[in-house]
PDB file of all heavy atoms in Angstrom:
ATOM      1  N   ASP A1254     119.721  86.136  10.721  1.00  0.00           N
ATOM      2  CA  ASP A1254     119.444  86.440  12.127  1.00  0.00           C
ATOM      3  C   ASP A1254     119.842  87.870  12.468  1.00  0.00           C
ATOM      4  O   ASP A1254     119.108  88.582  13.150  1.00  0.00           O
ATOM      5  CB  ASP A1254     120.202  85.467  13.038  1.00  0.00           C
ATOM      6  CG  ASP A1254     119.731  84.024  12.862  1.00  0.00           C
ATOM      7  OD1 ASP A1254     118.508  83.810  12.843  1.00  0.00           O
ATOM      8  OD2 ASP A1254     120.588  83.143  12.742  1.00  0.00           O
ATOM      9  N   ALA A1255     121.017  88.280  12.006  1.00  0.00           N
ATOM     10  CA  ALA A1255     121.487  89.644  12.259  1.00  0.00           C
ATOM     11  C   ALA A1255     120.579  90.668  11.591  1.00  0.00           C
ATOM     12  O   ALA A1255     120.216  91.682  12.197  1.00  0.00           O
ATOM     13  CB  ALA A1255     122.923  89.802  11.766  1.00  0.00           C
ATOM     14  N   LEU A1256     120.203  90.401  10.352  1.00  0.00           N
ATOM     15  CA  LEU A1256     119.328  91.332   9.641  1.00  0.00           C
ATOM     16  C   LEU A1256     117.965  91.440  10.309  1.00  0.00           C
ATOM     17  O   LEU A1256     117.356  92.512  10.314  1.00  0.00           O
ATOM     18  CB  LEU A1256     119.169  90.917   8.181  1.00  0.00           C
ATOM     19  CG  LEU A1256     120.384  91.148   7.295  1.00  0.00           C
ATOM     20  CD1 LEU A1256     120.131  90.595   5.898  1.00  0.00           C
ATOM     21  CD2 LEU A1256     120.753  92.606   7.236  1.00  0.00           C
ATOM     22  N   GLY A1257     117.496  90.354  10.883  1.00  0.00           N
ATOM     23  CA  GLY A1257     116.213  90.368  11.578  1.00  0.00           C
ATOM     24  C   GLY A1257     116.192  91.386  12.708  1.00  0.00           C
ATOM     25  O   GLY A1257     115.158  91.960  13.027  1.00  0.00           O
ATOM     26  N   ILE A1258     117.350  91.622  13.307  1.00  0.00           N
ATOM     27  CA  ILE A1258     117.452  92.588  14.394  1.00  0.00           C
ATOM     28  C   ILE A1258     117.662  94.001  13.859  1.00  0.00           C
ATOM     29  O   ILE A1258     117.101  94.965  14.367  1.00  0.00           O
ATOM     30  CB  ILE A1258     118.611  92.207  15.345  1.00  0.00           C
ATOM     31  CG1 ILE A1258     118.263  90.885  16.027  1.00  0.00           C
ATOM     32  CG2 ILE A1258     118.874  93.297  16.370  1.00  0.00           C
ATOM     33  CD1 ILE A1258     119.429  90.227  16.712  1.00  0.00           C
ATOM     34  N   LEU A1259     118.444  94.140  12.804  1.00  0.00           N
ATOM     35  CA  LEU A1259     118.830  95.461  12.304  1.00  0.00           C
ATOM     36  C   LEU A1259     117.937  96.030  11.219  1.00  0.00           C
ATOM     37  O   LEU A1259     117.985  97.231  10.973  1.00  0.00           O
ATOM     38  CB  LEU A1259     120.263  95.415  11.756  1.00  0.00           C
ATOM     39  CG  LEU A1259     121.358  95.235  12.789  1.00  0.00           C
ATOM     40  CD1 LEU A1259     122.702  95.107  12.114  1.00  0.00           C
ATOM     41  CD2 LEU A1259     121.355  96.383  13.770  1.00  0.00           C
ATOM     42  N   VAL A1260     117.161  95.181  10.569  1.00  0.00           N
ATOM     43  CA  VAL A1260     116.374  95.655   9.438  1.00  0.00           C
ATOM     44  C   VAL A1260     115.257  96.560   9.920  1.00  0.00           C
ATOM     45  O   VAL A1260     114.621  96.320  10.936  1.00  0.00           O
ATOM     46  CB  VAL A1260     115.805  94.466   8.631  1.00  0.00           C
ATOM     47  CG1 VAL A1260     114.709  94.909   7.681  1.00  0.00           C
ATOM     48  CG2 VAL A1260     116.912  93.799   7.849  1.00  0.00           C
ATOM     49  N   GLY A1261     115.069  97.598   9.195  1.00  0.00           N
ATOM     50  CA  GLY A1261     114.065  98.597   9.498  1.00  0.00           C
ATOM     51  C   GLY A1261     114.672  99.937   9.148  1.00  0.00           C
ATOM     52  O   GLY A1261     115.866 100.156   9.360  1.00  0.00           O
ATOM     53  N   LYS A1262     113.888 100.787   8.605  1.00  0.00           N
ATOM     54  CA  LYS A1262     114.393 102.092   8.172  1.00  0.00           C
ATOM     55  C   LYS A1262     115.030 102.856   9.330  1.00  0.00           C
ATOM     56  O   LYS A1262     116.011 103.562   9.151  1.00  0.00           O
ATOM     57  CB  LYS A1262     113.239 102.899   7.578  1.00  0.00           C
ATOM     58  CG  LYS A1262     113.627 104.289   7.145  1.00  0.00           C
ATOM     59  CD  LYS A1262     112.438 105.011   6.533  1.00  0.00           C
ATOM     60  CE  LYS A1262     112.821 106.430   6.143  1.00  0.00           C
ATOM     61  NZ  LYS A1262     111.699 107.149   5.551  1.00  0.00           N
ATOM     62  N   TRP A1263     114.502 102.692  10.534  1.00  0.00           N
ATOM     63  CA  TRP A1263     114.903 103.538  11.643  1.00  0.00           C
ATOM     64  C   TRP A1263     115.866 102.905  12.628  1.00  0.00           C
ATOM     65  O   TRP A1263     116.554 103.620  13.354  1.00  0.00           O
ATOM     66  CB  TRP A1263     113.650 104.016  12.380  1.00  0.00           C
ATOM     67  CG  TRP A1263     112.751 104.812  11.500  1.00  0.00           C
ATOM     68  CD1 TRP A1263     111.576 104.406  10.928  1.00  0.00           C
ATOM     69  CD2 TRP A1263     112.953 106.151  11.046  1.00  0.00           C
ATOM     70  NE1 TRP A1263     111.041 105.409  10.166  1.00  0.00           N
ATOM     71  CE2 TRP A1263     111.869 106.500  10.226  1.00  0.00           C
ATOM     72  CE3 TRP A1263     113.949 107.100  11.276  1.00  0.00           C
ATOM     73  CZ2 TRP A1263     111.741 107.743   9.631  1.00  0.00           C
ATOM     74  CZ3 TRP A1263     113.828 108.335  10.681  1.00  0.00           C
ATOM     75  CH2 TRP A1263     112.728 108.651   9.869  1.00  0.00           C
ATOM     76  N   LYS A1264     115.923 101.589  12.712  1.00  0.00           N
ATOM     77  CA  LYS A1264     116.746 100.953  13.737  1.00  0.00           C
ATOM     78  C   LYS A1264     118.218 101.365  13.666  1.00  0.00           C
ATOM     79  O   LYS A1264     118.796 101.728  14.701  1.00  0.00           O
ATOM     80  CB  LYS A1264     116.608  99.436  13.682  1.00  0.00           C
ATOM     81  CG  LYS A1264     115.302  98.952  14.271  1.00  0.00           C
ATOM     82  CD  LYS A1264     115.240  97.447  14.223  1.00  0.00           C
ATOM     83  CE  LYS A1264     113.905  96.942  14.691  1.00  0.00           C
ATOM     84  NZ  LYS A1264     113.795  95.487  14.568  1.00  0.00           N
ATOM     85  N   PRO A1265     118.855 101.325  12.506  1.00  0.00           N
ATOM     86  CA  PRO A1265     120.254 101.754  12.479  1.00  0.00           C
ATOM     87  C   PRO A1265     120.432 103.214  12.892  1.00  0.00           C
ATOM     88  O   PRO A1265     121.403 103.555  13.574  1.00  0.00           O
ATOM     89  CB  PRO A1265     120.670 101.546  11.017  1.00  0.00           C
ATOM     90  CG  PRO A1265     119.722 100.524  10.494  1.00  0.00           C
ATOM     91  CD  PRO A1265     118.438 100.777  11.215  1.00  0.00           C
ATOM     92  N   ILE A1266     119.480 104.067  12.530  1.00  0.00           N
ATOM     93  CA  ILE A1266     119.567 105.487  12.889  1.00  0.00           C
ATOM     94  C   ILE A1266     119.411 105.660  14.403  1.00  0.00           C
ATOM     95  O   ILE A1266     120.151 106.433  15.029  1.00  0.00           O
ATOM     96  CB  ILE A1266     118.502 106.315  12.130  1.00  0.00           C
ATOM     97  CG1 ILE A1266     118.607 106.101  10.622  1.00  0.00           C
ATOM     98  CG2 ILE A1266     118.582 107.789  12.500  1.00  0.00           C
ATOM     99  CD1 ILE A1266     119.960 106.422  10.034  1.00  0.00           C
ATOM    100  N   ILE A1267     118.476 104.940  14.993  1.00  0.00           N
ATOM    101  CA  ILE A1267     118.299 104.975  16.447  1.00  0.00           C
ATOM    102  C   ILE A1267     119.601 104.565  17.128  1.00  0.00           C
ATOM    103  O   ILE A1267     120.080 105.233  18.042  1.00  0.00           O
ATOM    104  CB  ILE A1267     117.150 104.039  16.889  1.00  0.00           C
ATOM    105  CG1 ILE A1267     115.795 104.578  16.415  1.00  0.00           C
ATOM    106  CG2 ILE A1267     117.152 103.844  18.404  1.00  0.00           C
ATOM    107  CD1 ILE A1267     114.647 103.592  16.537  1.00  0.00           C
ATOM    108  N   LEU A1268     120.174 103.469  16.664  1.00  0.00           N
ATOM    109  CA  LEU A1268     121.412 102.965  17.266  1.00  0.00           C
ATOM    110  C   LEU A1268     122.557 103.960  17.118  1.00  0.00           C
ATOM    111  O   LEU A1268     123.321 104.180  18.060  1.00  0.00           O
ATOM    112  CB  LEU A1268     121.789 101.621  16.657  1.00  0.00           C
ATOM    113  CG  LEU A1268     120.812 100.485  16.972  1.00  0.00           C
ATOM    114  CD1 LEU A1268     121.160  99.243  16.184  1.00  0.00           C
ATOM    115  CD2 LEU A1268     120.790 100.198  18.462  1.00  0.00           C
ATOM    116  N   LEU A1269     122.666 104.571  15.956  1.00  0.00           N
ATOM    117  CA  LEU A1269     123.739 105.546  15.749  1.00  0.00           C
ATOM    118  C   LEU A1269     123.571 106.761  16.669  1.00  0.00           C
ATOM    119  O   LEU A1269     124.549 107.267  17.213  1.00  0.00           O
ATOM    120  CB  LEU A1269     123.797 105.975  14.285  1.00  0.00           C
ATOM    121  CG  LEU A1269     124.336 104.908  13.334  1.00  0.00           C
ATOM    122  CD1 LEU A1269     124.133 105.319  11.890  1.00  0.00           C
ATOM    123  CD2 LEU A1269     125.800 104.614  13.622  1.00  0.00           C
ATOM    124  N   HIS A1270     122.334 107.211  16.872  1.00  0.00           N
ATOM    125  CA  HIS A1270     122.095 108.336  17.784  1.00  0.00           C
ATOM    126  C   HIS A1270     122.497 107.961  19.214  1.00  0.00           C
ATOM    127  O   HIS A1270     123.136 108.753  19.911  1.00  0.00           O
ATOM    128  CB  HIS A1270     120.627 108.769  17.757  1.00  0.00           C
ATOM    129  CG  HIS A1270     120.296 109.674  16.622  1.00  0.00           C
ATOM    130  ND1 HIS A1270     120.756 110.968  16.524  1.00  0.00           N
ATOM    131  CD2 HIS A1270     119.548 109.468  15.510  1.00  0.00           C
ATOM    132  CE1 HIS A1270     120.305 111.518  15.413  1.00  0.00           C
ATOM    133  NE2 HIS A1270     119.578 110.627  14.776  1.00  0.00           N
ATOM    134  N   LEU A1271     122.137 106.762  19.642  1.00  0.00           N
ATOM    135  CA  LEU A1271     122.474 106.352  21.003  1.00  0.00           C
ATOM    136  C   LEU A1271     123.969 106.105  21.163  1.00  0.00           C
ATOM    137  O   LEU A1271     124.534 106.392  22.222  1.00  0.00           O
ATOM    138  CB  LEU A1271     121.660 105.118  21.400  1.00  0.00           C
ATOM    139  CG  LEU A1271     120.150 105.343  21.543  1.00  0.00           C
ATOM    140  CD1 LEU A1271     119.435 104.035  21.799  1.00  0.00           C
ATOM    141  CD2 LEU A1271     119.846 106.353  22.634  1.00  0.00           C
ATOM    142  N   LEU A1272     124.606 105.583  20.120  1.00  0.00           N
ATOM    143  CA  LEU A1272     126.052 105.368  20.184  1.00  0.00           C
ATOM    144  C   LEU A1272     126.800 106.700  20.251  1.00  0.00           C
ATOM    145  O   LEU A1272     127.753 106.857  20.998  1.00  0.00           O
ATOM    146  CB  LEU A1272     126.529 104.561  18.975  1.00  0.00           C
ATOM    147  CG  LEU A1272     126.272 103.061  19.033  1.00  0.00           C
ATOM    148  CD1 LEU A1272     126.415 102.437  17.651  1.00  0.00           C
ATOM    149  CD2 LEU A1272     127.214 102.388  20.031  1.00  0.00           C
ATOM    150  N   LYS A1273     126.353 107.658  19.455  1.00  0.00           N
ATOM    151  CA  LYS A1273     127.062 108.940  19.367  1.00  0.00           C
ATOM    152  C   LYS A1273     126.737 109.876  20.529  1.00  0.00           C
ATOM    153  O   LYS A1273     127.614 110.516  21.087  1.00  0.00           O
ATOM    154  CB  LYS A1273     126.736 109.620  18.041  1.00  0.00           C
ATOM    155  CG  LYS A1273     127.482 110.926  17.839  1.00  0.00           C
ATOM    156  CD  LYS A1273     127.235 111.501  16.467  1.00  0.00           C
ATOM    157  CE  LYS A1273     127.845 112.851  16.345  1.00  0.00           C
ATOM    158  NZ  LYS A1273     129.130 112.898  15.746  1.00  0.00           N
ATOM    159  N   LYS A1274     125.460 109.949  20.883  1.00  0.00           N
ATOM    160  CA  LYS A1274     125.017 110.948  21.857  1.00  0.00           C
ATOM    161  C   LYS A1274     124.769 110.390  23.254  1.00  0.00           C
ATOM    162  O   LYS A1274     124.494 111.146  24.176  1.00  0.00           O
ATOM    163  CB  LYS A1274     123.750 111.632  21.351  1.00  0.00           C
ATOM    164  CG  LYS A1274     123.974 112.372  20.041  1.00  0.00           C
ATOM    165  CD  LYS A1274     122.703 112.930  19.492  1.00  0.00           C
ATOM    166  CE  LYS A1274     122.977 113.598  18.145  1.00  0.00           C
ATOM    167  NZ  LYS A1274     121.767 114.045  17.507  1.00  0.00           N
ATOM    168  N   GLY A1275     124.799 109.079  23.403  1.00  0.00           N
ATOM    169  CA  GLY A1275     124.549 108.475  24.716  1.00  0.00           C
ATOM    170  C   GLY A1275     123.064 108.413  25.031  1.00  0.00           C
ATOM    171  O   GLY A1275     122.211 108.466  24.148  1.00  0.00           O
ATOM    172  N   THR A1276     122.772 108.306  26.305  1.00  0.00           N
ATOM    173  CA  THR A1276     121.400 108.165  26.795  1.00  0.00           C
ATOM    174  C   THR A1276     120.538 109.325  26.321  1.00  0.00           C
ATOM    175  O   THR A1276     120.955 110.479  26.381  1.00  0.00           O
ATOM    176  CB  THR A1276     121.402 108.099  28.329  1.00  0.00           C
ATOM    177  OG1 THR A1276     122.203 106.981  28.730  1.00  0.00           O
ATOM    178  CG2 THR A1276     120.002 107.948  28.882  1.00  0.00           C
ATOM    179  N   GLN A1277     119.329 108.973  25.855  1.00  0.00           N
ATOM    180  CA  GLN A1277     118.399 110.001  25.381  1.00  0.00           C
ATOM    181  C   GLN A1277     116.986 109.657  25.809  1.00  0.00           C
ATOM    182  O   GLN A1277     116.631 108.485  25.952  1.00  0.00           O
ATOM    183  CB  GLN A1277     118.437 110.112  23.856  1.00  0.00           C
ATOM    184  CG  GLN A1277     119.738 110.675  23.339  1.00  0.00           C
ATOM    185  CD  GLN A1277     119.634 111.009  21.864  1.00  0.00           C
ATOM    186  OE1 GLN A1277     118.603 111.430  21.371  1.00  0.00           O
ATOM    187  NE2 GLN A1277     120.741 110.825  21.171  1.00  0.00           N
ATOM    188  N   ARG A1278     116.192 110.693  25.965  1.00  0.00           N
ATOM    189  CA  ARG A1278     114.775 110.517  26.246  1.00  0.00           C
ATOM    190  C   ARG A1278     114.043 110.298  24.915  1.00  0.00           C
ATOM    191  O   ARG A1278     114.558 110.601  23.847  1.00  0.00           O
ATOM    192  CB  ARG A1278     114.234 111.729  26.984  1.00  0.00           C
ATOM    193  CG  ARG A1278     114.885 111.851  28.374  1.00  0.00           C
ATOM    194  CD  ARG A1278     114.440 113.047  29.105  1.00  0.00           C
ATOM    195  NE  ARG A1278     113.053 112.865  29.560  1.00  0.00           N
ATOM    196  CZ  ARG A1278     112.443 113.698  30.367  1.00  0.00           C
ATOM    197  NH1 ARG A1278     113.057 114.766  30.824  1.00  0.00           N
ATOM    198  NH2 ARG A1278     111.199 113.485  30.738  1.00  0.00           N
ATOM    199  N   PHE A1279     112.827 109.784  25.019  1.00  0.00           N
ATOM    200  CA  PHE A1279     112.026 109.474  23.838  1.00  0.00           C
ATOM    201  C   PHE A1279     111.893 110.693  22.929  1.00  0.00           C
ATOM    202  O   PHE A1279     112.117 110.600  21.718  1.00  0.00           O
ATOM    203  CB  PHE A1279     110.639 108.982  24.277  1.00  0.00           C
ATOM    204  CG  PHE A1279     109.777 108.539  23.139  1.00  0.00           C
ATOM    205  CD1 PHE A1279     109.789 107.221  22.724  1.00  0.00           C
ATOM    206  CD2 PHE A1279     108.940 109.430  22.474  1.00  0.00           C
ATOM    207  CE1 PHE A1279     108.992 106.793  21.669  1.00  0.00           C
ATOM    208  CE2 PHE A1279     108.144 109.023  21.426  1.00  0.00           C
ATOM    209  CZ  PHE A1279     108.178 107.692  21.021  1.00  0.00           C
ATOM    210  N   ASN A1280     111.531 111.841  23.512  1.00  0.00           N
ATOM    211  CA  ASN A1280     111.319 113.043  22.694  1.00  0.00           C
ATOM    212  C   ASN A1280     112.592 113.513  22.016  1.00  0.00           C
ATOM    213  O   ASN A1280     112.543 114.053  20.912  1.00  0.00           O
ATOM    214  CB  ASN A1280     110.708 114.163  23.531  1.00  0.00           C
ATOM    215  CG  ASN A1280     109.258 113.887  23.872  1.00  0.00           C
ATOM    216  OD1 ASN A1280     108.585 113.123  23.188  1.00  0.00           O
ATOM    217  ND2 ASN A1280     108.782 114.479  24.948  1.00  0.00           N
ATOM    218  N   GLU A1281     113.742 113.332  22.666  1.00  0.00           N
ATOM    219  CA  GLU A1281     115.021 113.699  22.046  1.00  0.00           C
ATOM    220  C   GLU A1281     115.262 112.846  20.805  1.00  0.00           C
ATOM    221  O   GLU A1281     115.662 113.357  19.755  1.00  0.00           O
ATOM    222  CB  GLU A1281     116.179 113.489  23.018  1.00  0.00           C
ATOM    223  CG  GLU A1281     116.235 114.451  24.169  1.00  0.00           C
ATOM    224  CD  GLU A1281     117.353 114.099  25.125  1.00  0.00           C
ATOM    225  OE1 GLU A1281     117.270 113.042  25.782  1.00  0.00           O
ATOM    226  OE2 GLU A1281     118.313 114.891  25.195  1.00  0.00           O
ATOM    227  N   LEU A1282     115.030 111.552  20.952  1.00  0.00           N
ATOM    228  CA  LEU A1282     115.202 110.652  19.803  1.00  0.00           C
ATOM    229  C   LEU A1282     114.271 111.054  18.667  1.00  0.00           C
ATOM    230  O   LEU A1282     114.677 111.130  17.511  1.00  0.00           O
ATOM    231  CB  LEU A1282     114.940 109.197  20.206  1.00  0.00           C
ATOM    232  CG  LEU A1282     116.037 108.514  21.002  1.00  0.00           C
ATOM    233  CD1 LEU A1282     115.525 107.214  21.615  1.00  0.00           C
ATOM    234  CD2 LEU A1282     117.234 108.242  20.107  1.00  0.00           C
ATOM    235  N   GLN A1283     113.021 111.323  19.005  1.00  0.00           N
ATOM    236  CA  GLN A1283     112.038 111.681  17.971  1.00  0.00           C
ATOM    237  C   GLN A1283     112.424 112.987  17.285  1.00  0.00           C
ATOM    238  O   GLN A1283     112.298 113.102  16.066  1.00  0.00           O
ATOM    239  CB  GLN A1283     110.646 111.777  18.585  1.00  0.00           C
ATOM    240  CG  GLN A1283     109.553 111.827  17.539  1.00  0.00           C
ATOM    241  CD  GLN A1283     108.171 111.691  18.140  1.00  0.00           C
ATOM    242  OE1 GLN A1283     107.948 111.976  19.301  1.00  0.00           O
ATOM    243  NE2 GLN A1283     107.232 111.242  17.328  1.00  0.00           N
ATOM    244  N   ARG A1284     112.913 113.967  18.032  1.00  0.00           N
ATOM    245  CA  ARG A1284     113.359 115.238  17.442  1.00  0.00           C
ATOM    246  C   ARG A1284     114.540 115.029  16.494  1.00  0.00           C
ATOM    247  O   ARG A1284     114.675 115.725  15.492  1.00  0.00           O
ATOM    248  CB  ARG A1284     113.762 116.226  18.533  1.00  0.00           C
ATOM    249  CG  ARG A1284     112.701 117.196  18.922  1.00  0.00           C
ATOM    250  CD  ARG A1284     113.233 118.342  19.758  1.00  0.00           C
ATOM    251  NE  ARG A1284     114.077 117.958  20.873  1.00  0.00           N
ATOM    252  CZ  ARG A1284     113.654 117.612  22.079  1.00  0.00           C
ATOM    253  NH1 ARG A1284     112.355 117.590  22.325  1.00  0.00           N
ATOM    254  NH2 ARG A1284     114.492 117.290  23.033  1.00  0.00           N
TER     255      ARG A1284
END
Side-chain angles (χ1 to χ4, degrees):
D1254 296 314
L1256 287 176
I1258 294 166
L1259 291 176
V1260 165
K1262 178 178 178 180
W1263 299 104
K1264 284 182 185 176
I1266 305 303
I1267 291 168
L1268 294 172
L1269 288 170
H1270 278 291
L1271 293 174
L1272 282 164
K1273 183 175 173 96
K1274 298 175 183 175
T1276 301
Q1277 291 191 35
R1278 295 177 73 172
F1279 184 91
N1280 288 337
E1281 290 176 293
L1282 284 167
Q1283 193 170 24
R1284 264 193 311 274

